[in-house]
Structure formats: structure tokens, C-alpha cells
Amino acid sequence: MKTIGFDAKRIVRNGTGLGSYSRTLVNSLSALPCDMQLRLYTPDMGRDDLRQQIEMRQGVEFVYPTNIPLQSKGLIARVRRDWWRTRGIVKDLQRDGIGIYHGLSGELPVGLKKAGIKGVVTIHDLIFLRHPEYYHPWDVAIYRHKFHATLREACRVVAISECTKRDILAYGDFPEDHIDLIYQSCGTRFKMRCTEEKKQEVKERYNLPERFILNVGTIEERKNAFLAVKALQHLPQDVALVIVGRTTPYAEKVIKPYIQKNKLEERVIILHGIPNEDLPAIYQRAECFVYPSRYEGFGIPIIEAVQSQLPVIAATGSCLEEAGGPDNLYVSPDDDQGMANAILHSMKGAEGRKQRIENSIQYVQRFENSNVAQQMLDLYTNLL
């Protein structure tokens, strides 16, 4: 029986991003017909709602540090948990007979290779090296150190996109033939069509406009929702923009003053804290989806939008063409007129819109659960 260990910190702590990737992958792996034990190592129990998203099938088990009370809080407890995750965990992995340990969020513990445990690590992006201007210098230094330390412990590196693979080769010292391109797991819940009642309920709850473009993601400089805001001035007055995401100081200093200066208050709606059960209906009420991020490791919201039967307009320059495929539209992250033109070619009634959506739905099937999980299982099997 294969016993695979996983770094499960993000599984129990992160609601989106790395957490979604980790939960989707583990659930997909546990559903495969194979003789495999999955042990999920986490320094604490995290959030109940996230932990409960893991389907506790036979062979799936959470593992916690035995020498740190789960209820303990404070700085000392946090330091002990961090030390366990980065170093102390290795003894527990040996105790449990772990053959492979998979760092799902770009990190592996120190001493893994010396202990004879094969390390696999998923690297999602190296934005902190490609665009350090979006990070504090201390954070860049810490992330760079962790990246190189992880490469020293890894037997195989999983890159979630060709873009990320190129960055690993550019910034790291790791053999190319030990890097596996396995696209990020993406669930299929956005494929499910909401009832008209649900869509109307969501429209009323969040005061959504009749016609709107949708953007989902943290409202920060790198994500570049500002481009979509500026594009509104080139679009018909009855078209609005709905942004779903956490605001940042950048949003307060740059985007909101621009909205006020250009009298766009009635046309830009910013929502945050949207529960998971409402988000699909918001997608399905939109006419198109915009994702003008300057740099990403992948771009899961693009997949969600395509599954929601929306055309997508994204930015050139990173991996977004890879995520969305050839039938969506791509513009420079600084071209607001180009963004507006692409939106006009994507609104309801635009020529070719229906066919582009259908082609994109076929394209994104390569990212959906079972195939990605099988590729990962094949990697583990070859290592063992």
C-alpha cells in the first residue's frame, strides 16, 4: 500500500487559491480506484468549514503534531508549530512510514532528503522573483530562501503551468527533466446551472445591475482591475462592472478615487465576503468576465468563468492564454481601449460569442479533476 504525506496547512487555513488547489487535489486522489493512504499533516486544526471540505474516504487521515496541544495559542505555540512544519515533521514522517511527501504550496521541510523520503513540491508561481516590486523586500528575501531550500529537498517539482516551469528554470538550479507540468486541479461546481430563482435572489441581495462585466480577485495592483474600470468609459452607459474581491490599500488610494473623479459610482460595484454558494449565480448573471492581471501562475477564475459559460478577456504577458485557451480574447494590461473593444466583442449578441464559449468549455476540460489526479498518481507510482 502506498502511503503519501501532504503538507495540509493550506487545506485547513486558506479559503481560496492554494487551499482550493490542495483540497481539490486530495479529494480527487482519494476518489481514484487505487491502494493508497493519504496522510494530511497540518500544524493545527485550522477552520472547521475548510477541514470539513475534505471527503474522509477510507485511507484519508489528518495528522497533527503530538507534542503541541491543538488548543494552545500565542506566539510560543505558533513558533513551535512553524518549527514542526519546517523541520520537526520529518521524524513524524519517518514514524508513519511515509514514502513520498508532497508540499502542496511550494515548500518542503528541511532534512527530508537526508531522511530518505522522496519530496515532491508543487510550485504555483514565482511572482516574487519575476515581479519583486509587488512585495516587501524582506518578503522577497524570505521567499527566495525558501524556494532554493525546497529545490534542494525535492526529487520532483510540479509546475502548474508552462509559464511557471519557465520561471523555475530561469530562477532555480533544478534539472528540467525532473520538472513535471501538471496543470492546477479545478473543480466542476461552476458547471452546475443555477435556477432562475437563485439568480434573482442573488441579484436582489447584492443589488446587481441588469448588464455587467465580472471580475473576481483581490483588488491589488498586480491583479489590475483598474484596467477594467478605465475601460468602462469607452462602453455604453448601461454596462456596469462588478468586482468580487478583498480590497487593499491600493484600491483605496488608486481605484476608488478614480471612480469618484470620473463619476462611475453607479457603474462600479465592489463586493467582498461573498459566500461560496452565491458566487456561481453571480458568474451566471454576468455577460462576460475580465481578468487583466499583470502576472499569474495560472488563473483559476478564468476556468470558473468558462465553466459558467462566459467569454473571457484577459491580459497578455504571463500564463492567462494558457489557462483560457485560443478562443478567448487577450489584451495588453495597459490598453484600456483594447479592453473595451474586446468586451464589446464578448457581450450578448456579439458575433461568434456562442461558438467561442463552446470551444472554451471543451478546452478547459483538461484542467478538471480526474485527469489531473491521475497524472499526480502516476508521478507518485513512478517515484515509488
Side-chain angles (χ1 to χ4, degrees):
M1 179 179 291
K2 307 178 187 74
T3 305
I4 315 296
F6 295 87
D7 177 5
K9 176 183 175 181
R10 307 292 181 183
I11 285 177
V12 301
R13 290 192 185 179
N14 287 55
T16 58
L18 298 178
S20 295
Y21 167 82
S22 302
R23 288 186 294 274
T24 301
L25 177 59
V26 167
N27 285 336
S28 301
L29 283 167
S30 68
L32 292 177
C34 65
D35 188 17
M36 181 171 55
Q37 294 275 345
L38 308 182
R39 291 181 177 264
L40 313 180
Y41 291 83
T42 173
D44 55 35
M45 298 185 72
R47 288 168 46 184
D48 291 345
D49 61 320
L50 299 180
R51 191 177 64 257
Q52 290 165 7
Q53 290 179 30
I54 292 296
E55 298 170 20
M56 301 304 293
R57 299 186 176 99
Q58 184 176 358
V60 179
E61 178 184 2
F62 278 100
V63 183
Y64 307 97
T66 56
N67 60 343
I68 308 172
L70 292 176
Q71 293 77 21
S72 61
K73 298 180 180 180
L75 179 60
I76 293 176
R78 178 180 175 182
V79 170
R80 291 177 68 191
R81 290 191 178 103
D82 288 345
W83 183 89
W84 176 80
R85 179 170 174 261
T86 57
R87 292 178 180 270
I89 191 176
V90 174
K91 289 184 177 179
D92 291 352
L93 299 176
Q94 290 177 303
R95 173 200 67 199
D96 296 339
I98 299 299
I100 293 174
Y101 184 74
H102 189 161
L104 295 169
S105 55
E107 298 178 60
L108 288 173
V110 176
L112 197 66
K113 184 174 286 187
K114 186 177 180 180
I117 299 168
K118 297 180 186 298
V120 175
V121 62
T122 298
I123 294 181
H124 298 260
D125 65 68
L126 294 177
I127 300 172
F128 58 91
L129 294 176
R130 180 65 69 179
H131 286 286
E133 66 271 20
Y134 296 132
Y135 297 82
H136 190 282
W138 277 112
D139 290 333
V140 172
I142 292 169
Y143 297 156
R144 181 188 294 114
H145 171 76
K146 286 184 176 182
F147 168 60
H148 290 293
T150 289
L151 293 187
R152 289 193 292 271
E153 298 292 347
C155 293
R156 306 292 299 191
V157 168
V158 173
I160 65 162
S161 67
E162 285 283 4
C163 178
T164 295
K165 181 178 179 179
R166 289 194 299 269
D167 283 352
I168 294 168
L169 292 170
Y171 293 102
D173 182 15
F174 200 79
E176 183 173 1
D177 60 357
H178 284 53
I179 301 175
D180 298 275
L181 174 62
I182 301 179
Y183 285 111
Q184 183 162 351
S185 301
C186 183
T188 57
R189 71 187 184 94
F190 285 88
K191 282 185 163 184
M192 302 296 293
R193 303 305 293 169
C194 299
T195 64
E196 290 301 320
E197 291 78 10
K198 177 64 177 179
K199 288 192 282 188
Q200 184 62 29
E201 172 195 327
V202 163
K203 178 182 186 297
E204 294 173 359
R205 179 179 302 158
Y206 301 109
N207 196 27
L208 298 176
E210 284 296 325
R211 303 186 70 199
F212 67 90
I213 310 151
L214 179 64
N215 170 259
V216 175
T218 304
I219 309 171
E220 60 183 350
E221 184 177 3
R222 176 175 62 84
K223 297 286 188 180
N224 198 30
F226 193 24
L227 183 70
V229 175
K230 290 190 287 186
L232 273 185
Q233 296 187 92
H234 309 298
L235 295 171
Q237 288 292 317
D238 66 334
V239 176
L241 170 66
V242 174
I243 304 175
V244 178
R246 177 177 58 85
T247 60
T248 65
Y250 172 80
E252 301 296 331
K253 292 179 182 178
V254 177
I255 293 182
K256 290 186 177 179
Y258 183 93
I259 291 171
Q260 294 171 355
K261 179 181 178 181
N262 292 278
K263 297 181 173 56
L264 296 171
E265 293 93 337
E266 298 298 318
R267 297 179 66 195
V268 181
I269 295 91
I270 297 176
L271 306 174
H272 60 89
I274 301 297
N276 285 334
E277 59 267 23
D278 288 348
L279 191 55
I282 295 177
Y283 270 102
Q284 290 174 33
R285 284 208 67 93
E287 288 198 34
C288 69
F289 184 80
V290 294
Y291 201 66
S293 180
R294 293 182 179 278
Y295 210 84
E296 294 289 336
F298 189 58
I300 283 291
I302 288 179
I303 313 299
E304 295 173 347
V306 172
Q307 291 176 337
S308 302
Q309 301 183 19
L310 290 179
V312 173
I313 304 102
T316 57
S318 60
C319 67
L320 301 184
E321 296 101 323
E322 201 177 339
D327 290 281
N328 286 304
L329 303 178
Y330 305 92
V331 300
S332 164
D334 296 302
D335 185 1
D336 54 293
Q337 182 65 65
M339 171 62 77
N341 292 340
I343 290 170
L344 288 172
H345 282 89
S346 301
M347 302 296 279
K348 289 180 179 178
E351 183 179 355
R353 179 180 187 270
K354 181 180 179 181
Q355 188 60 53
R356 294 200 304 271
I357 291 171
E358 291 176 359
N359 293 346
S360 296
I361 289 171
Q362 292 296 316
Y363 176 85
V364 302
Q365 287 181 5
R366 68 192 66 194
F367 307 127
E368 292 168 4
N369 297 346
S370 57
N371 184 46
V372 173
Q374 185 62 54
Q375 291 179 69
M376 204 69 77
L377 178 60
D378 292 344
L379 187 158
Y380 300 153
T381 300
N382 291 335
L383 273 180
L384 290 173

